Amino acid sequence: MTRRYWVVDAFSDQPLMGNPVAVILDAEGLTTERMQAIARWTNLSETTFVLPATVDGADYQLRIFTPASELAFAGHPTLGSAKAIVESGLHSPRDGKLVQQCKAGLVGITVDQATSTFVLALPDARFIQLPDAAKQGLSAAYAAPLADLPFTSVDVGIAWGVVEVESVEALMASRPDPVACARIETDNNLTGVSLFARYPDGSIEVRSFAFCDGVPEDPVCGSGNGAVAAYRRHYGQVPERDWTYASRQGRCVGRDGHIRLSADSNGQLYVGGQCVVTARGELAL
């Protein structure tokens, strides 16, 4: 049989500049092993599989795979898959919203079809401050001078190690040691590491790495940016409520993604951006 296969660039309105996610729109009947094999074959940072929802309140179920493993949640696959689901006619937003079922639970997505902007409500974050020795090892592994705040595990459905780099210039110049970085992920139970640095205008630059999951550098990472936003709020860099800032990511790997991070009056965190379809086809499986 054939299965519809779309590629969507998340966090950009220009093809080839965001973070591509491969979306299998007709995933019923695929085993977990087959899904993982397809994700290895696409060799993108994530490949998703759309299935019927199995819980009340969800419009559809999404399973998310890196080339090496399945994730409970991820940001750009959630938003890019929502773009493919809406544009293909598989599901239509109700009052401008979709609800995704994934292994991390239910994720609400706001859809603005006029601008092709998709915004997800970030799952509540859990924090574990990591030892000073881990921060020292990370600074050496990434060849980056770090700011004063602690190296912290921020779990937003997947656990990112987050820390600030002293300057944007130092962040962009970082050349990670893959073996040392993978060891940091394993030793601290992290999916990956997201580093950030601040610009004078209040925006930030982010780089995200997940060596153990087969993603040396994620071009534009929604969950990584969400973890950074939660970290910044946790340590008082942004208020508890009612704020917005912009993030940029991907230029070190030839992309240029733009992410909007915000918190509403209730303190709910959001991650959003534009999405564009770059390819449509079929898998002969």
Side-chain angles (χ1 to χ4, degrees):
M1 64 177 295
T2 60
R3 301 175 188 272
R4 287 179 294 170
Y5 165 74
W6 287 32
V7 178
V8 178
D9 269 318
F11 300 118
S12 177
D13 62 354
Q14 300 294 319
L16 311 181
M17 294 306 291
N19 196 0
V21 56
V23 185
I24 314 305
L25 290 164
D26 309 304
E28 284 190 87
L30 291 172
T31 64
T32 297
E33 292 74 21
R34 194 65 162 163
M35 292 179 188
Q36 187 65 74
I38 293 168
R40 281 196 300 270
W41 173 78
T42 68
N43 202 33
L44 295 176
S45 55
E46 279 96 2
T47 299
T48 65
F49 299 84
V50 184
L51 297 158
T54 60
V55 298
D56 292 340
D59 294 304
Y60 56 90
Q61 179 184 175
L62 198 72
R63 295 185 67 180
I64 305 166
F65 289 78
T66 74
S69 64
E70 185 171 8
L71 301 178
F73 168 76
H76 100 269
T78 292
L79 300 182
S81 298
K83 168 70 173 177
I85 286 164
V86 170
E87 190 160 316
S88 69
L90 193 60
H91 291 283
S92 297
R94 292 173 290 175
D95 298 323
K97 296 186 182 300
L98 292 170
V99 179
Q100 170 187 293
Q101 173 192 350
C102 59
K103 289 185 178 294
L106 298 182
V107 178
I109 303 162
T110 301
V111 179
D112 183 342
Q113 290 178 264
T115 62
S116 195
T117 298
F118 294 77
V119 180
L120 64 85
L122 193 73
D124 290 341
R126 294 175 292 169
F127 303 90
I128 300 174
Q129 185 172 320
L130 299 172
D132 288 342
K135 182 178 179 181
Q136 294 165 6
L138 182 138
S139 183
Y142 282 89
L146 303 180
D148 291 337
L149 292 176
F151 180 35
T152 300
S153 171
V154 184
D155 190 330
V156 290
I158 58 176
W160 286 99
V162 179
V163 72
E164 183 178 5
V165 176
E166 285 186 351
S167 70
V168 171
E169 293 75 17
L171 175 62
M172 301 297 275
S174 172
R175 297 295 180 265
D177 177 332
V179 174
C181 294
R183 188 179 304 117
I184 287 168
E185 293 171 11
T186 301
D187 290 349
N188 295 283
N189 298 312
L190 301 172
T191 300
V193 170
S194 284
L195 306 178
F196 74 97
R198 288 181 277 177
Y199 287 104
D201 67 359
S203 65
I204 67 169
E205 188 85 31
V206 172
R207 295 181 69 185
S208 300
F209 308 85
F211 288 95
C212 289
D213 274 313
V215 186
E217 181 162 3
D218 199 356
V220 197
C221 185
S223 62
N225 271 273
V228 168
Y231 174 100
R232 297 188 69 204
R233 184 170 71 175
H234 186 68
Y235 289 110
Q237 287 190 352
V238 295
E240 184 69 22
R241 299 174 174 83
D242 293 319
W243 51 262
T244 300
Y245 71 80
S247 174
R248 194 172 183 182
Q249 188 173 5
R251 288 181 292 161
C252 288
V253 290
R255 310 288 175 78
D256 192 8
H258 296 265
I259 308 98
R260 180 184 175 92
L261 293 306
S262 61
D264 65 16
S265 59
N266 296 314
Q268 172 65 55
L269 294 178
Y270 296 93
V271 180
Q274 292 178 285
C275 297
V276 60
V277 177
T278 53
R280 298 181 182 88
E282 294 180 337
L283 291 179
L285 297 175

